[in-house]
């Protein structure tokens, strides 16, 4: 028995070949009832489309390329999941890559996605890749920035205002009476980190005797946070901060571990009594920490979904204006910043 063709599917479903093609490539352009009827014919006939041949005809695959900084961070895992769920509604899939905060790795993924003629790119940029993304768009591959605004709105973007978020975190620590705040995060080349510090500094500048000391990290990981926490614990009590703002929850979890569980059996400190602690992202582990972590929440899954919607809009009408969607961060207060009784 010969392999069923797209013509056989069209005949069986009582629609045109073009409608079958739209169901396969742009299902959002077809009524749900027709999509269902065509999919039923595909299943009944056992039709399997030839992706390579299709790609040659329509010029791109049905895959979206997503590049994040580090998928080990649940913030980006949630973004990827939100993107995948929205992509699936449009008959698309998502391929994920980590730049690991390396411009070289970032460029290699963009090369790969361009060779694969992906439907489009979602990227949380590390380096300045505007020129690269612009040339890809000229070759028919649109991009949406994730977790970063686009300078002069060259690209659609979805992000959270990290300056507002950093200010919220520091203001909360100031409101519970802390004045010697350590900002633990880095590298500062990551815009999200430097914006959070800028927001925190703006809040501290408005309060007499408040100060922010920066402990810069070379990575936003639990281990880097733990090392910073051990360094703080090694200081004389009067030289330690009375509050710590960690640039994200992974760093905060590491700091918390070091502060509470001194490795050599030496002194530890009480959180929040001696040192209050707040993170950023409000990942699931934050609320489950041994001292539930206060944090600044970002709607990560919604950011992923919105990024795909912006990409579908641009693919449907490349001439449409770029859109900038900015979500507001929210303070989530838990035990790690409870006021002193
Ligand atoms: O990747 C750096 C940080 O920026 C993440 O923790 C998340 O907060 C993102 O916004």
């Amino acid at each position: 028995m010969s392999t069923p063709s797209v013509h056989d599917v069209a005949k069986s479903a009582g629609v045109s070949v073009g409608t079958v093609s739209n169901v396969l490539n742009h299902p959002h352009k077809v009524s749900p009832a027709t999509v269902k009827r065509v999919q039923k014919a595909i299943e009944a006939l056992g039709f399997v489309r030839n992706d390579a041949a299709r790609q040659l005809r329509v010029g791109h695959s049905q895959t979206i390329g997503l590049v994040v900084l580090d998928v080990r961070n649940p913030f980006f895992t949630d973004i990827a999941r939100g993107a995948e769920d929205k992509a699936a509604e449009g008959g698309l899939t998502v391929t994920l890559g980590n730049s690991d905060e390396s411009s070289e790795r970032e460029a290699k993924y963009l090369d790969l996605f361009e060779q694969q003629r992906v439907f489009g790119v979602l990227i949380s940029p590390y380096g300045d890749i505007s020129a690269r993304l612009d040339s890809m768009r000229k070759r028919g591959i649109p991009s949406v920035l994730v977790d970063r605004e686009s300078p002069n709105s060259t690209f659609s973007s979805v992000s959270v205002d990290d300056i507002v978020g950093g200010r919220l975190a520091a203001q909360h620590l100031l409101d519970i009476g802390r004045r010697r705040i350590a900002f633990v995060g880095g590298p500062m080349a990551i815009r999200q980190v430097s914006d959070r510090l800028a927001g925190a500094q703006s809040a501290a500048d408005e309060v007499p005797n408040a100060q922010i000391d920066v402990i810069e990290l070379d990575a936003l990981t639990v281990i880097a946070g733990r090392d910073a926490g051990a360094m703080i614990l090694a200081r004389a009590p009067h030289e330690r901060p009375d509050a710590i703002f960690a640039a994200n929850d992974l760093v905060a979890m590491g700091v918390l571990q070091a502060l509470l569980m001194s490795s050599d059996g030496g002194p530890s400190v009480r959180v929040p009594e001696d040192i209050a602690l707040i993170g950023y992202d409000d990942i699931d582990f934050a609320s489950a920490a041994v001292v539930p972590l206060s944090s600044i929440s970002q709607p990560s899954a919604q950011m992923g979904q919105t990024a795909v919607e912006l990409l579908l809009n641009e693919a449907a009408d490349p001439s449409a204006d770029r859109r900038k969607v900015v979500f507001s961060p929210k303070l989530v207060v838990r035990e790690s910043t409870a006021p002193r009784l």
Side-chain angles (χ1 to χ4, degrees), residues 192-237:
Q192 293 92 327
V193 175
S194 55
D195 279 359
R196 288 166 200 173
L197 174 57
Q201 192 62 65
S202 72
D205 290 346
E206 296 171 6
V207 174
N209 309 319
Q211 67 184 59
I212 296 216
D213 296 319
V214 177
I215 298 176
E216 184 164 1
L217 306 180
D218 57 10
L220 287 165
T221 60
V222 172
I223 290 174
R226 189 194 61 198
D227 294 346
M231 191 174 66
I232 288 169
L233 195 61
R235 293 178 185 173

Side-chain angles (χ1 to χ4, degrees), residues 69 73 75-76 147 192 196 220 248 280-281 298:
L69 294 175
N73 181 341
F75 168 78
F76 289 113
D147 200 30
Q192 293 92 327
R196 288 166 200 173
L220 287 165
N248 74 9
Y280 205 107
D281 292 338
Q298 303 196 77

Side-chain angles (χ1 to χ4, degrees), residues 23-28 39 49 61-66 79-95 119-120 122 301-312:
V23 168
L24 293 172
N25 304 312
H26 307 287
H28 52 284
Q39 286 174 339
R49 71 183 178 190
S61 75
Q62 291 302 97
T63 299
I64 293 172
L66 168 62
I79 282 187
R81 182 58 202 254
E84 186 190 19
D85 290 347
K86 180 56 70 176
E89 289 176 18
L92 300 169
T93 57
V94 173
T95 295
F119 179 89
L122 306 179
Q302 189 181 1
M303 289 169 73
Q305 293 162 3
T306 304
V308 171
E309 286 167 0
L310 294 173
L311 193 67
L312 288 172

Side-chain angles (χ1 to χ4, degrees), residues 170 173-175 177-182 200-201 203-213 240-243:
L173 296 173
L174 295 163
D175 290 347
R178 308 304 165 103
R179 292 296 180 268
R180 301 192 316 280
I181 300 172
Q201 192 62 65
D205 290 346
E206 296 171 6
V207 174
N209 309 319
Q211 67 184 59
I212 296 216
D213 296 319
R240 293 170 187 159
D242 58 11

Side-chain angles (χ1 to χ4, degrees), residues 2-255:
S2 67
T3 307
S5 72
V6 69
H7 295 274
D8 298 327
V9 172
K11 188 177 176 188
S12 169
V15 299
S16 70
V17 169
T19 298
V20 175
S21 174
N22 274 337
V23 168
L24 293 172
N25 304 312
H26 307 287
H28 52 284
K29 292 182 176 177
V30 184
S31 74
T34 302
V35 169
K36 199 169 182 176
R37 196 160 81 243
V38 170
Q39 286 174 339
K40 200 172 172 184
I42 286 171
E43 284 160 25
L45 292 169
F47 169 75
V48 177
R49 71 183 178 190
N50 177 334
D51 229 14
R54 192 195 58 75
Q55 224 171 281
L56 286 173
R57 279 194 311 284
V58 301
H60 59 73
S61 75
Q62 291 302 97
T63 299
I64 293 172
L66 168 62
V67 184
V68 298
L69 294 175
D70 182 356
V71 77
R72 291 170 300 182
N73 181 341
F75 168 78
F76 289 113
T77 316
D78 291 346
I79 282 187
R81 182 58 202 254
E84 186 190 19
D85 290 347
K86 180 56 70 176
E89 289 176 18
L92 300 169
T93 57
V94 173
T95 295
L96 175 65
N98 289 285
S99 65
D100 282 347
E101 294 149 13
S102 153
S103 297
E104 292 73 27
R105 276 179 66 96
E106 186 173 64
K108 281 192 169 56
Y109 273 111
L110 292 176
D111 293 344
L112 174 70
F113 290 155
E114 189 153 16
Q115 289 153 18
Q116 291 179 341
R117 301 295 299 155
V118 294
F119 179 89
V121 171
L122 306 179
I123 184 162
S124 182
Y126 178 67
D128 178 7
I129 51 174
S130 302
R132 176 67 194 271
L133 297 183
D134 194 47
S135 66
M136 288 175 72
R137 179 164 63 197
K138 289 187 173 87
R139 292 194 287 273
I141 299 180
S143 296
V144 172
L145 302 189
V146 177
D147 200 30
R148 175 72 63 75
E149 288 189 17
S150 168
N152 52 62
S153 300
T154 310
F155 300 95
S156 291
S157 65
V158 58
S159 60
V160 171
D161 189 327
D162 285 310
I163 294 175
V164 168
R167 186 179 174 85
L168 271 176
Q171 190 58 57
H172 174 55
L173 296 173
L174 295 163
D175 290 347
I176 62 171
R178 308 304 165 103
R179 292 296 180 268
R180 301 192 316 280
I181 300 172
F183 179 86
V184 178
M188 288 303 160
I190 298 180
R191 179 68 178 279
Q192 293 92 327
V193 175
S194 55
D195 279 359
R196 288 166 200 173
L197 174 57
Q201 192 62 65
S202 72
D205 290 346
E206 296 171 6
V207 174
N209 309 319
Q211 67 184 59
I212 296 216
D213 296 319
V214 177
I215 298 176
E216 184 164 1
L217 306 180
D218 57 10
L220 287 165
T221 60
V222 172
I223 290 174
R226 189 194 61 198
D227 294 346
M231 191 174 66
I232 288 169
L233 195 61
R235 293 178 185 173
H238 69 280
E239 290 178 345
R240 293 170 187 159
D242 58 11
I244 294 170
F245 172 19
N248 74 9
D249 287 346
L250 293 180
V251 170
M253 305 288 278
V255 169

